Amino acid sequence: MVVNSAQAVADRYADFAWQQARGESDAHEELTARISQDPDFCDFLAVSLPHGNQQQPNLLLAAVRYLDGPHAEQGPRGDFAYRSWREWTIRHWDDVRDVMMRRLARTDEPARCATLLPVLARLPQPLALLEVGAAAGLCLHPDRYRYRYDGGPEFGDPDSPVVLPCRTSPGTPVPAAPPRVVWRAGLGLDPLDLSDPDDIRWLRALAWPGPRDNTALGTSAGTGTGDAWSGGTENSGDTGNGGRTGNGGVDVADRAGRQLAAVEAVRNAPPTPLVRGDLLHELPALAAQAPPEATLVVFHTAALTHLPLERREEFVRVVRSLLVDRPGHWVSQEHHSVLPWLPGPRPADARLLTLAVDGRPVALTEQHGRSVQWLAEPEPEPV
């Protein structure tokens, strides 16, 4: 969306409040709804920020939280709190804008490993994982978490502080163990360094304040399986396809706690290369570093939303070309509108992601890894 007027900004914040924050974060829903009804502030944002990704509502909210603005932990609630938040944001605008211009609203959701695992575990082992759109690289470590599907027994790394619960539909090939990963690397525009306290602070700022959701507590201190089949929201930007889950949203302590526990789970692992660069230009060279005896898996989760359609099409051509002469697969987990040419039915709930292997949809997944609804047996063919 090209934002060039106060009305366009207002529409974007209203859409964010209704389509993404509703049911996932009451505080962010109220805040973005109030911004959408504040023409003076929308005009201020329209003239103060460039067009494009810097106008993402979640980027503004995270920047204020990162700077410890008012109501940073729970979000401003009520008219007085909103006026306080608004006044603080304008007064500290130079700092807020600086954060928005140098940061991306792209975070990692390690719980998505639970929805990727039914695919990854069935591919020829061992695997070489290459994540496109990586932030902190937390999704590159599916072998360093624990999992529990449908309230069944836990499996995975017994020493991991992270437990990822997930609901499945009949027919889902629930794995018995994580995949064997022998190589991993990530590619992103602004990868985060897990040893940098400032990057960890930004990762926490991206976690939304919201009501507790028993389906995704995400650490060994408390996990539940829940009943939700509907979708959530994507923390990394306003994709326009988020919304309400069956049991509500995840509160900030849960989501931030899950991310920080995942950080601890991977912090002491061998360093994982996270390359800063353009996904089209840098991908071939990075993929060439993968060991030839491993199955190369180029994957991305809710990462291509803000690319123009022609760039997404070019990206797919590049990925397919990389997998012509070596064993490998392309695994995508995106909203169906991001890869509109994929075959198969569109989800009745537009808030779900479509999980596909080599361009063939195999499941619908909740955006924070809470559920998998299987569509077909995953028998990927070489690209």
Side-chain angles (χ1 to χ4, degrees), residues 142-225:
D143 51 340
R144 294 195 167 96
Y145 308 133
R146 288 183 284 156
Y147 302 87
R148 184 169 67 243
Y149 290 90
D150 304 302
E154 292 178 5
F155 65 89
D157 184 348
D159 297 322
S160 177
V162 182
V163 179
L164 302 177
C166 183
R167 293 278 293 178
T168 68
S169 69
T172 302
V174 176
R180 186 160 65 94
V181 182
V182 295
W183 182 88
R184 63 195 98 211
L187 174 62
L189 292 176
D190 186 29
L192 303 178
D193 182 354
L194 295 181
S195 65
D196 185 341
D198 192 58
D199 280 356
I200 298 299
R201 181 178 177 181
W202 177 245
L203 192 66
R204 295 195 66 176
L206 287 165
W208 293 12
R212 180 172 300 276
D213 182 339
N214 291 329
T215 68
L217 297 182
T219 68
S220 56
T223 59
T225 59

Side-chain angles (χ1 to χ4, degrees), residues 47 62 65 69 73 81 94 102-103 109 139 143 167 183 185 190 201 217-218 224-225 241 257 300 366 368 371:
V47 300
R65 288 164 58 80
E73 289 304 314
D94 287 346
R102 63 184 174 86
R103 289 290 190 177
E109 177 51 89
C139 290
D143 51 340
R167 293 278 293 178
W183 182 88
D190 186 29
R201 181 178 177 181
L217 297 182
T225 59
N241 59 309
H300 48 94
E366 194 277 325
H368 295 289
S371 67

